[in-house]
Amino acid sequence: MKKKRISQADVAREAGVSVTTVNLVLNGRQNTRISEEAAERVRLAAEKLNYSTDPIARSLRTGQTRSLAFISDNVTVTRYASAMIRGVLDAAEARGYTVLMAEIGDHLERQGSIVESMLERRVDGLLFGFMSARKIDLPALLPDTRTILINATAEGLPSILPAEHEAGTAAVNCLLAAGHKRIAFIGRSEKVYDPYLSVTIPRRYAGIDEAMQAAGLSFVAEFQGHEWEPELGYEGTLRLLDDGAKFTALLAANDRVAFGAYRALQERGLTVPGDVAVMSFDDEQLATYLHPQLTTMRLPYREMGYLGVEMLLADAPTEPGSETLVPMPLVERSSIIRR
Amino acid sequence: MKKKRISQADVAREAGVSVTTVNLVLNGRQNTRISEEAAERVRLAAEKLNYSTDPIARSLRTGQTRSLAFISDNVTVTRYASAMIRGVLDAAEARGYTVLMAEIGDHLERQGSIVESMLERRVDGLLFGFMSARKIDLPALLPDTRTILINATAEGLPSILPAEHEAGTAAVNCLLAAGHKRIAFIGRSEKVYDPYLSVTIPRRYAGIDEAMQAAGLSFVAEFQGHEWEPELGYEGTLRLLDDGAKFTALLAANDRVAFGAYRALQERGLTVPGDVAVMSFDDEQLATYLHPQLTTMRLPYREMGYLGVEMLLADAPTEPGSETLVPMPLVERSSIIRR
DNA sequence: CTGAAAGCGCTTACAG
DNA sequence: CTGAAAGCGCTTACAG
């Protein structure tokens, strides 16, 4: 990595012009009235010497780094959420930006020092990405630091969220469209109305409830719970069945809950989708392992990551406090049939 | 982000000394014989002005950036492999390094330009991280660029790999120790002997076979396949059963295969671990969803990531072409009982 | 149409 | 014990 670098001065010498000329030509400046002949000599010389501009020196001079920081909580380590990183990386690369990454885990208190160190490195913008959509308190930021939150909200900052209300409605409508009227629901929870726990789940519930109401229906049975793991789906389904609930369709809070529900249904000799149709949320890989494969509303992690970068680097800054909603596509597989 | 920066010159003015003195003090240089009194004034002034050194300017001068590049194929987007990123990030942070990330997906041909752009940014080292351990061809690198491959190998470069041979042996021994003698194996494949497809799977097979041989045993039945998805486990198990194979334990190539095997076993009215014990590899989250939870050999992604950074930044460069093996821990859960 | 020079904020060899 | 100055490689206001 030593190897003396080729500088604009070297190119200038080779081409027999000044570094000003070299710089102007190589940066493709317009209206500079450098003779095409000189410009050509510069380009040839640069090519010959295999010159590439030193981004560090440029940054020192311009104050811009063409880099951005992506700071997350537990995204790397969370199942399908890590796709958000891919979205960020792809979008950044498309625009010639480099991504500096840091992950703080559950140590939210470390945000301050991480942000500081990123800012010291003069990133052109800050992207925060969270595993599950909730409100967070960010350290006071320089007012002119471009910042976007992905899958989170914070006072006075623009954020990108999944369109959960819409998705809740779509999930129910999907079941209704297949002719189901007796629907059970597993995974409602009151806890979740604290924005520091979730900002989107209440919206999902609202979307679900509105769709049911619009159809003049209510759930024939519900099993509550906020730990959305297979255990909940398993126990909830058994309980509903034991209580004698009669339902032809089951709405699960997420794929893991659905996973548990499948097991319970199977143990009771019930088949999916013949006896019970199942609809879910998230679309983690698990959904494709199930038999039959699970129909579910996809959480658009990758898209949110991609959009985050685009908004961060857009010409006009995003309005503070605004929310950009990203659609959650319905992924139709085999867990629902017409009845 | 504008905000005129506080520089060492500002601190010098405030403290009434030269920038040389400021620099020496703030960098904690030894043997510099600056009066303790002057040093104290400098520290106070820096504190008061809230000075922090500009890493860009420092980099321009020193040629070092305290940053490293992590370049991966599909790590962000692959199930549990994304934990490798966390390991990298944690280790880098512990040493005060920043990580520049890029992911190239299946476009291995893009490696060249990505590496170039990272090198232009003067990263102090290059880390390559791959989803599954295989041999890759890297673009010719500057000979003095520190480089480490995580979960991959390349001509003349040091690499970090999971200790698969050892793990294969341990998996079999675990079954043997529980008293099993009639063992079936699903997931052997000849394809995998091409190093560009895998460098570690053949070792795993070797470890498995040696342990069996050492016990004077061979598998009572095998079902081949290299697409290690649930489908293979499902069909393989059914086939073995239909062929009348009598086994008390099943060794699955990975957790997904085991997942499929569970389903087949259950359909045939066989219970795990009562009728058939199951042993597997990977330890993805899936393993904990299964009932009973799966005993498996864990792929140490996070540890490999962490170690990669440590080796990259170690005082002595790692020997070219060397291999560092990271143990795969046995994660005992409930899919095996004594017989 | 093109160049000389200043300056971004550091670090360091040199001088005293 | 401490300071003045050069230089890393750019960009840009200014001069001609």
Side-chain angles (χ1 to χ4, degrees), chain A residues 1-3, chain B residues 67-69 71 115-116 118-120 122-128 138-149 156-158 311-312 317-318 320:
Chain A
M1 234 111 73
K2 279 286 116 65
K3 262 306 189 321
Chain B
S67 70
L68 55 90
I71 302 171
V115 165
E116 234 173 82
M118 289 300 189
L119 255 21
E120 261 173 27
R122 303 243 199 102
V123 293
D124 297 335
L126 251 32
L127 223 42
F128 289 86
L138 241 33
L141 293 171
L142 287 355
D144 44 3
T145 303
R146 286 262 200 137
T147 305
I148 304 264
L149 300 188
L157 258 20
M311 284 171 50
L312 195 70
T318 309

Side-chain angles (χ1 to χ4, degrees), chain A residues 63-117:
Chain A
Q64 309 243 298
T65 54
R66 296 191 76 74
S67 69
L68 55 89
F70 178 71
I71 302 170
S72 53
D73 62 343
N74 283 300
V75 167
T76 60
V77 106
T78 305
R79 34 178 170 169
Y80 54 121
S82 59
M84 188 195 290
I85 305 174
R86 182 61 167 269
V88 168
L89 260 21
D90 284 351
E93 212 222 318
R95 292 171 139 277
Y97 271 66
T98 298
V99 177
L100 312 196
M101 250 197 88
E103 183 152 284
I104 54 174
D106 298 322
H107 302 276
L108 287 190
E109 76 283 0
R110 280 173 39 199
Q111 271 175 351
S113 62
I114 297 278
V115 166
E116 234 173 81
S117 99

Side-chain angles (χ1 to χ4, degrees), chain A residues 195-339:
Chain A
Y196 286 95
L197 288 180
S198 178
V199 292
T200 50
I201 301 309
R203 300 180 190 182
R204 184 188 292 184
Y205 291 156
I208 289 171
D209 290 338
E210 282 173 27
M212 290 294 282
Q213 245 175 276
L217 295 173
S218 47
F219 290 113
V220 297
E222 286 202 21
F223 188 83
Q224 305 227 353
H226 66 279
E227 291 256 8
W228 293 352
E229 295 293 335
E231 213 47 31
L232 177 69
Y234 179 72
E235 298 195 334
T237 304
L238 288 185
R239 178 63 163 280
L240 261 26
L241 259 16
D242 288 347
D243 287 353
K246 298 274 179 261
F247 49 92
T248 67
L250 179 64
L251 184 59
N254 75 0
D255 296 345
R256 297 167 178 217
V257 171
F259 181 92
Y262 265 55
R263 188 162 73 94
L265 258 10
Q266 188 178 30
E267 283 188 11
R268 292 300 162 92
L270 264 14
T271 83
V272 178
D275 297 316
V276 179
V278 180
M279 175 81 208
S280 175
F281 293 87
D282 279 8
D283 193 28
E284 46 178 316
Q285 199 148 30
L286 190 60
T288 67
Y289 295 165
L290 257 15
H291 280 265
Q293 297 196 340
L294 189 59
T295 293
T296 188
M297 306 298 301
R298 195 160 68 77
L299 234 22
Y301 281 108
R302 184 160 175 173
E303 291 78 359
M304 292 194 292
Y306 202 98
L307 184 60
V309 171
E310 293 200 319
M311 284 171 50
L312 194 70
L313 302 181
D315 291 333
T318 309
E319 199 179 331
S322 71
E323 276 185 8
T324 303
L325 267 21
V326 180
M328 294 176 59
L330 166 64
V331 182
E332 293 202 65
R333 286 195 275 248
S334 322
S335 60
I336 302 178
I337 46 166
R338 280 209 70 76
R339 138 158 327 238

